[in-house]
Amino acid sequence: MTENNKRLMQGNEACVEGAIAAGMRFFAGYPITPSTEIAEISAAKLPRIGGKFIQMEDEIASISAIIGASLTGVKAMTATSGPGFSLKQEGIGYAIMAEVPCVIVNVQRGGPSTGLPTSPAQGDIMQARWGTHGEHSIIALYPSTVKEIFDTTIRAFNLSEKYRTPVILLMDEVIAHMREAVDLPDISEIKIYNRKKPSVGPEEYKPYKVLKGNIVPEMANIGEGYRYHVTGLIHDESGAPTNDNRIAEELVLRLVNKIENNLDDIVYYEKYELDDAEEAIVAFGATARSAKSAIDTLRAKGRRIGMFRPITIWPSPKKQLTELAKKVKRIMVVEMNMGQYLLEVERIAGKYTEVLGYGRVNGELVTPKEIVRFVEEG
Amino acid sequence: MGNNLIEKYYRTERLPHIWCPGCGNGIVLRAIVKAIDNLGLNKDDICVVSGIGCSSRATGYLDFNTVHTTHGRALAFATGIKLANPNLHVIVITGDGDCAAIGGNHLIHAARRNIDITTVVFNNNIYGMTGGQYSPTTPTGDKGTTAPYGNIDPNFDLCELAKSAGATYVSRSTVYGANMITKQVEEGIKNKGFSFIEALTICPTYYGRKNKKGDAPEMINQLKEMTINVDAYYKLPQEKREGRIVIGELYRVQREEYIEKYNRLINSF
Amino acid sequence: MEFREFRLSGSGGQGLILAGIILAEAALKDGKNVVQSQSYGPEARGGASKAEVIISDKDINYPKVEKCDVLLALTQKAYDKYISTLKTGGVLIKDDKIAETQKRDDIEVYSVPILYTANEVLKKPMVANMIALGCIYEVTRVINKDSLEEAVLNRVPQGTEELNKKALCEGYRLIESVKGKVCHEI
C-alpha cells in the first residue's frame, strides 16, 4: 500500500465508504447526533453512483424503508444513535423474522433517553442483543479504529447477506467523530458476499425453505417473477402465516441456530499481548484503545497483562473467552457502562477465573490512567 | 367472472380467509383485484404491501409480490420498495387504525412526497383484529370496547387529511358500490403520484354489534343511506349537506412525482 | 522536546477544526500516524471550540488529548480554560490580546497578533486559523512545510488558495519576528 492511498477520514465517513464498497445503494435515515454525518455523506454520495438516499419521517420509517428496499435486492443501511436505536427495534425484529439482509448503525451516546447527545457511551450493548422482543439471535459488530470501521461495515453487509439477518454496527462517538488515516484498499481486493438468489424456478420456489447445502433460504428479489409472501408472522416454508406450534418452534430455532451454529465464521476478535499474559482485559471500541495504552504502561512496569477485544460482540465469542478464562488469573471487563458486557463475560468465564468490571457513565472516554490504577489496585 | 378473478389472482391454497361472515373486506379486495385485471397489469410487476389488522391480512391471499409488514408501517416499507425498484406498481392495503393512528405520520409524509404509491384504506371504523376498540375514524359518540360509554374523540376525515398532506389523487367509495372502488383503484394506479382511496367497509362483528347497527346487509344499506356522490352533494343546498359522507373522486392535481425528481438528480451527475 | 499532542482552542466559527484537520493531513503526508478529534457544544457558532491533534511515529491508541505539548489559544476564554492542560515544557501560542492571567514559568510562550493580522492586515477575519497554522509550523517544525502548504490547498475553497497561502506566510513571519525575544520566563 502506498502512502498515497492513505486518507484522513472521519469515522462516520469511513462507515459510508465501507458501505458503498460493500455494495450499499440505498440509505434511509433520520437525523440524530452523533450519527448524522453518515446520513449526510450518504445523501451526497449515493445519487452520484445511481443509489438512493431518503430522509424518512422518523427512525421506524427509516428501518422500514431499508427493509423494503432490501426486498427488491438492493443492499441497504440505516444509521442512528441512542433514542433512534430504541425506535429501530421494531424493524430489527421484522428483519430477523422475515430474514431480510440490512445493516443498522448505532453510534452510541449517553443515555437513558435524550441523555448526553454529543458524548460517548457504551450503554447499548444489551439493547443490541435483546432490544427487540421475542427469542432471537443477533449479529453485532464493534470496530475500534476508523480503518476498522471501514472494514467492519463491509463485514456487516457480508454477514447480513450471507445469513439473511439484520446486522448491527455499534460505534462509539469518539471514533465516529475523530479522524484517522484509512488506507482504502483497491475495490478488487475487497471480498464481497451477495445473497444467494433462487437456484430453482418460480414454480418450485419455496421462499423459506433451506435447500441442502445452504445456511439460509435462497432469496428472490421482488419483481423478478417469484411472487411470494413476506410476513412478520410465524410462517411455513411457503411464507404462509401459521399458528402451528411445531412450525413455530422450528422456525424460531432455525433463525437462532443459523447464527449460533456458525460462530467460527461470524466471530471476529483481536488479541493484544495475550501470549504470556497472566491477566487480561476485555474491552471493545474506543475503550479498547485506552486499554491498549494502559497495557503498554503496565507491561513497561513488568506486569504480564494483555487484552481480548471482541469485534463481533454478539454472538459473543464463547470459545475464545472460555480459552482465555482457563489461562489467566483474572479478567477485567472495561466498558463505558456499569457492567453490561461484564454480565456476558461472567456468564462464560466466571466458572474458570475471577471476573471484575470497571465502568463509567459520565460521558467521557475511560482513560488509560484509570485503567492502570484499576489493574494495580483492583 | 368472479371465480376467474379468484383463480387468476388469489393464492387459492391459502383460502378460506380469516375474515368473519359479513365482513366487507372481501368486497374491497375483490374490487382491487378487478382493477388490476382491468388494467391488464403483469402480476410480477405488482407489489402489495400491508400493515397489521384485519384488512392487512389481505396480502397473504393475493398472488402478487406481497409484503405483510408491521403495524402502521406499510407506507414506510412501500416507500423503500418503490424507491429501490420504481418499475413496480406498489399498492398499499391498510386499515383505519393502521393508517390513521399508528401509521398517521407515514401517511402524511408519503402524501407530501407524492411518491407513486396507491393506498387503499379499508375503513371499518374499528379495530377488528384486537376485538373492537375505537379507532381514529370511529364516529364521535359511538361505542367500542375501549369506549364503553361512547367515544369522545372527534373522528378523522381521512380524505381531507390525505389531500392536505399532498396526495394527488383522493377518492372515497363504499362496499355498497364495489364498481366505484374498482374504478377508483384503477385511477389511483394510473395516477403518477400518491393516490389515496378510502373504501368504507363494515365490521358487523364488533362495530355493528357494539353500536346496534344490525346485520351485514343492513350495515351495507346504511352505507348507501349515509353517502352521497360528490356531484349530487354540491348541488344540495348548504343546510342539507350536514352529516352526509361524500363519495366519488374528491381531488386530483398534477404535481411532479417523488422518484422522477430523484432520478433527475441522479441523471444530473 | 517531542511535539506529539496539540490543542487548538478558540471560539466556534474560527475554523479551528479545519486547522486541526489540515495539521493532521500534513503530518499524514509526512508518513506519521495521526488522530484528529474535536469537541463542541450544542451551539454551532460562538461557543468554546477546540480541535485536538496527535502526531506520532508510533501507533496512537488512546485518541484523546489530556495534557498537550502545544496549546493554541485565540480567545481569553479558551486560554483561561485550557492553560492548565499544557504540559511542563510545552509551548503556548496565543493571540497577543489575551491577558496572561495565569503566568506559568514552566512553559514557552509566543504571543503574536494573530487576530489583528487577519482582521487588519489581510482584512479577512476567516483566515485567522491559517495564520495560526503558520505559527504552529514555525514554532514546532513538526511537519514539512511542503506538506502543510499542500494540505492547506487541498482543503480550502477554490479561489481562496492565494489568500490562504498568504495567511500561512503571515503566520511564519509573526513567529520569526518574535523568535529572538521569546519570553521564556524564568
Side-chain angles (χ1 to χ4, degrees), chain A residues 120-190:
Chain A
Q122 299 179 320
D124 304 349
I125 307 301
M126 279 300 176
Q127 193 187 19
R129 177 63 187 87
W130 294 114
T132 198
H133 61 275
E135 183 59 43
H136 64 277
S137 190
I138 195 86
I139 300 175
L141 309 181
Y142 210 136
S144 185
T145 68
V146 175
K147 167 71 169 114
E148 200 172 80
I149 289 175
F150 178 86
D151 298 334
T152 308
T153 308
I154 295 171
R155 278 179 179 170
F157 272 96
N158 284 347
L159 290 171
S160 167
E161 294 282 315
K162 188 169 181 181
Y163 293 96
R164 285 192 60 176
T165 193
V167 173
I168 293 166
L169 188 64
L170 282 177
M171 295 194 352
D172 288 326
E173 183 278 341
V174 177
I175 301 162
H177 273 163
M178 74 182 210
R179 290 179 179 80
E180 210 168 18
V182 177
D183 40 356
L184 291 176
D186 200 77
I187 288 291
S188 61
E189 291 170 20
I190 299 173

Side-chain angles (χ1 to χ4, degrees), chain A residues 196 199 209-218:
Chain A
K196 243 187 196 168
S199 58
K209 185 180 170 67
V210 183
L211 299 180
K212 226 177 162 185
N214 285 348
I215 306 167
V216 294
E218 294 170 343

Side-chain angles (χ1 to χ4, degrees), chain C residues 26-61:
Chain C
L28 186 63
K29 283 179 199 296
D30 291 342
K32 301 283 179 67
N33 292 311
V34 293
V35 164
Q36 183 275 326
S37 61
Q38 63 265 315
S39 72
Y40 26 50
E43 62 280 80
R45 291 287 178 270
S49 161
K50 72 177 158 89
E52 292 160 349
V53 180
I54 305 175
I55 300 173
S56 178
D57 292 319
K58 297 188 209 125
D59 285 344
I60 301 165
N61 288 317

Side-chain angles (χ1 to χ4, degrees), chain B residues 234-262:
Chain B
Y234 285 108
K235 284 176 192 150
L236 287 180
Q238 198 71 39
E239 67 272 14
K240 289 200 168 169
R241 292 182 183 177
E242 188 67 26
R244 306 298 291 274
I245 298 170
V246 189
I247 56 171
E249 181 179 314
L250 305 179
Y251 185 69
R252 188 196 279 272
V253 70
Q254 281 285 327
R255 191 155 67 84
E256 191 175 21
E257 194 269 336
Y258 185 76
I259 297 169
E260 282 183 349
K261 276 196 216 174
Y262 200 88

